[in-house]
Amino acid sequence: MTSHDTAGPLSADNTPAAVGGTDLTNPASLLARAVLHLHEGNPAEAERCYDACIVADPDGAVAWGGKARCRLAVADYASATEFAVAALARAIDAPEYGRLLMETAARAGDLELLGLAAKRQVRLFPEERDAVAFRQLVPETLLTPADEDGDALEAIEHVLRTVRDRRPRRYGQLLQCLLARRPRSILEIGVFDGRNGADMIHAGGRTPAGTRALRYIGFDLFEEMTAEVHKKEFSKYPLSRLEVGAALSAFNDNHLLVQGYTQDSLKAFGAAWDGAVSPVDFVFIDGGHSEETIESDWNNVAPLMSERTVVIFDDCYLDKVAALDGLGCNSLVGRLAEDPRYLVEYLPIRDCFEKEFGTLTIVVVKVRLRPSFI
Ligand SMILES: C[S@@+](CC[C@H](N)C(=O)[O-])C[C@H]1O[C@@H](n2cnc3c(N)ncnc32)[C@H](O)[C@@H]1O
């Protein structure tokens, strides 16, 4: 298996036009082509077709489910679970996607998620419990009723709805990743109003107890934002540190909000950091949008990564125009994609905004350490 296979599509060029030999305007034709590629043992090519379908319709459960199967085929079980979550979020009443999530969680060795998915499946489709496949996949002990089941399953439903309904849409991909991977900690660079932080903590925590305990560290200028930085960083005006902290305290007891320029604050955090005590499993880089600041944020985050860490960059601009010169993560992630140490994936959902300079199209990019470099 090549590293390309495990990383999935390696370029932003997953437009329908980039998928050769198929009627690219016809989603049914792309789906059929994807199934064929998968049966022929070419999951990377199949995934390109599924990605092109998701570009056209981000709510297509079939394409997300297909993407999950592509990752099962290359033994990338955590990513398979992410995409199974995305499929189930778009078809919450479909038993096949509940089963797919159980299968990916089982393969990933994630007994907590397997138990939650199995209990959810039995609630919705009681007859499934007697199926041989179900009994082979789910140890009976995972189905033992617990007092907190009702709240835990309601929390999972809430995350699934948020994955589907979050706007801008690309942010739902962070939440499916967090629900699938249950990180021990989340670092968010660019807290803004805390809304995304709240969604991420709920998704990563999974249950009310997990949400309360999950470590979240948010970096922002908060009240130190100035008009000059606002312009240079193509930024937004954040809420105050106290306001965000009060909102997070309603459901989480383990957050830390760090105020200051990340060029300084992240560096200081890294210098004092002990990976054995506080592993960093998930990072969202969405602070200052100048290339200089994104580069600095990455340089401070990269040494904190382990084999479990997922880093997601916001602000990769497709069809980048001159008005965006000096902004965005494009050139950095382009270089990381060429660097053998990293697996780089452009996630498929695109958000488009009309601006005075034309259409701004944004995608998020996921970066992990390549296993052979750990
Ligand atoms: C685009 S917003 C973040 C959005 C947030 N992640 C969300 O999803 O809602 C960017 C944030 O980064 C902060 N920021 C910009 N430049 C920064 C810098 N150099 N250091 C620290 N924070 C910065 C801004 O104050 C702003 O709140």
Side-chain angles (χ1 to χ4, degrees), residues 191-370:
V191 173
F192 180 45
D193 61 2
R195 157 90 194 275
N196 189 56
D199 285 346
M200 292 201 299
I201 295 168
H202 280 106
R206 293 181 176 168
T207 64
T211 296
R212 212 148 257 297
L214 181 56
R215 182 67 168 156
Y216 168 87
I217 306 177
F219 295 84
D220 204 294
L221 285 160
F222 298 108
E223 296 91 316
E224 288 176 33
M225 172 60 84
T226 63
E228 192 190 340
V229 176
H230 183 264
K231 184 158 185 261
K232 174 182 174 237
E233 300 289 6
F234 198 46
S235 188
K236 297 177 175 177
Y237 279 102
L239 293 184
S240 74
R241 195 165 75 92
L242 271 180
E243 283 173 293
V244 175
L248 298 184
S249 294
F251 53 85
N252 176 267
D253 297 331
N254 200 7
H255 52 273
L256 172 69
L257 297 175
V258 182
Q259 183 160 7
Y261 285 89
T262 51
Q263 291 90 328
D264 306 321
S265 58
L266 252 184
K267 185 177 277 178
F269 174 83
W273 171 79
D274 178 350
V277 179
S278 44
V280 170
D281 289 342
F282 186 92
V283 184
F284 182 41
I285 299 185
D286 186 22
H289 291 159
S290 68
E291 286 178 344
E292 194 187 343
T293 301
I294 296 173
E295 186 94 29
S296 158
D297 290 345
W298 165 253
N299 287 337
N300 286 317
V301 160
L304 315 180
M305 291 174 77
S306 74
E307 80 285 356
R308 266 184 78 167
T309 310
V310 170
V311 176
I312 297 194
F313 287 90
D314 197 15
D315 299 293
C316 182
Y317 308 126
L318 301 190
D319 305 318
K320 197 174 166 188
V321 296
L324 297 170
D325 278 356
L327 298 171
C329 69
N330 297 46
S331 58
L332 172 59
V333 296
R335 272 186 281 122
L336 297 181
E338 300 295 316
D339 186 327
R341 289 174 293 175
Y342 299 108
L343 292 166
V344 176
E345 291 173 50
Y346 294 77
L347 296 183
I349 294 184
R350 299 170 179 201
D351 285 308
C352 300
F353 307 93
E354 289 312 317
K355 297 281 181 188
E356 61 281 6
F357 53 77
T359 305
L360 173 64
T361 303
I362 311 181
V363 296
V364 294
V365 181
K366 180 171 141 190
V367 177
R368 292 176 285 160
L369 277 173
R370 194 182 291 281

Side-chain angles (χ1 to χ4, degrees), residues 11-344:
S11 80
D13 198 15
N14 57 359
T15 54
V19 183
T22 304
D23 175 1
L24 306 173
T25 55
N26 179 349
S29 159
L30 272 169
L31 287 176
R33 173 61 64 119
V35 171
L36 203 65
H37 282 310
L38 201 48
H39 282 149
E40 285 168 351
N42 192 348
E45 207 47 51
E47 196 168 346
R48 279 185 210 283
C49 295
Y50 287 128
D51 277 349
C53 292
I54 295 166
V55 169
D57 174 16
D59 285 329
V62 174
W64 283 112
K67 208 165 150 58
R69 289 195 179 84
C70 292
R71 295 308 175 99
L72 281 175
V74 296
D76 183 1
Y77 299 129
S79 300
T81 306
E82 282 179 38
F83 302 135
V85 167
L88 185 60
R90 270 79 185 186
I92 50 173
D93 294 332
E96 63 268 34
Y97 296 118
R99 278 183 230 124
L100 181 62
L101 180 59
M102 286 163 47
E103 182 184 349
T104 60
R107 297 274 194 98
D110 185 340
L111 291 183
E112 181 191 57
L113 189 57
L114 175 58
L116 288 165
K119 282 180 173 171
R120 179 183 186 277
Q121 194 79 351
V122 168
R123 277 198 179 188
L124 289 174
F125 314 104
E127 68 285 359
E128 297 235 339
R129 189 174 181 155
D130 297 324
V132 175
F134 185 98
R135 296 219 306 254
Q136 282 173 342
L137 201 60
V138 185
E140 198 57 34
T141 49
L142 291 184
L143 294 169
T144 308
D147 291 344
E148 54 278 11
D149 281 353
D151 289 344
L153 293 179
E154 180 42 47
I156 296 293
E157 274 339 275
H158 174 78
V159 176
L160 290 173
R161 282 194 299 273
T162 315
V163 167
R164 182 194 62 195
D165 296 338
R166 184 72 168 100
R167 299 293 180 273
R169 279 178 179 274
R170 68 186 185 283
Y171 283 11
Q173 296 168 118
L174 274 62
L175 308 181
Q176 70 205 30
C177 179
L178 285 157
L179 180 60
R181 291 174 186 266
R182 200 195 200 293
R184 290 164 294 182
S185 64
I186 297 173
L187 253 64
E188 184 173 29
I189 297 169
V191 173
F192 180 45
D193 61 2
R195 157 90 194 275
N196 189 56
D199 285 346
M200 292 201 299
I201 295 168
H202 280 106
R206 293 181 176 168
T207 64
T211 296
R212 212 148 257 297
L214 181 56
R215 182 67 168 156
Y216 168 87
I217 306 177
F219 295 84
D220 204 294
L221 285 160
F222 298 108
E223 296 91 316
E224 288 176 33
M225 172 60 84
T226 63
E228 192 190 340
V229 176
H230 183 264
K231 184 158 185 261
K232 174 182 174 237
E233 300 289 6
F234 198 46
S235 188
K236 297 177 175 177
Y237 279 102
L239 293 184
S240 74
R241 195 165 75 92
L242 271 180
E243 283 173 293
V244 175
L248 298 184
S249 294
F251 53 85
N252 176 267
D253 297 331
N254 200 7
H255 52 273
L256 172 69
L257 297 175
V258 182
Q259 183 160 7
Y261 285 89
T262 51
Q263 291 90 328
D264 306 321
S265 58
L266 252 184
K267 185 177 277 178
F269 174 83
W273 171 79
D274 178 350
V277 179
S278 44
V280 170
D281 289 342
F282 186 92
V283 184
F284 182 41
I285 299 185
D286 186 22
H289 291 159
S290 68
E291 286 178 344
E292 194 187 343
T293 301
I294 296 173
E295 186 94 29
S296 158
D297 290 345
W298 165 253
N299 287 337
N300 286 317
V301 160
L304 315 180
M305 291 174 77
S306 74
E307 80 285 356
R308 266 184 78 167
T309 310
V310 170
V311 176
I312 297 194
F313 287 90
D314 197 15
D315 299 293
C316 182
Y317 308 126
L318 301 190
D319 305 318
K320 197 174 166 188
V321 296
L324 297 170
D325 278 356
L327 298 171
C329 69
N330 297 46
S331 58
L332 172 59
V333 296
R335 272 186 281 122
L336 297 181
E338 300 295 316
D339 186 327
R341 289 174 293 175
Y342 299 108
L343 292 166
V344 176

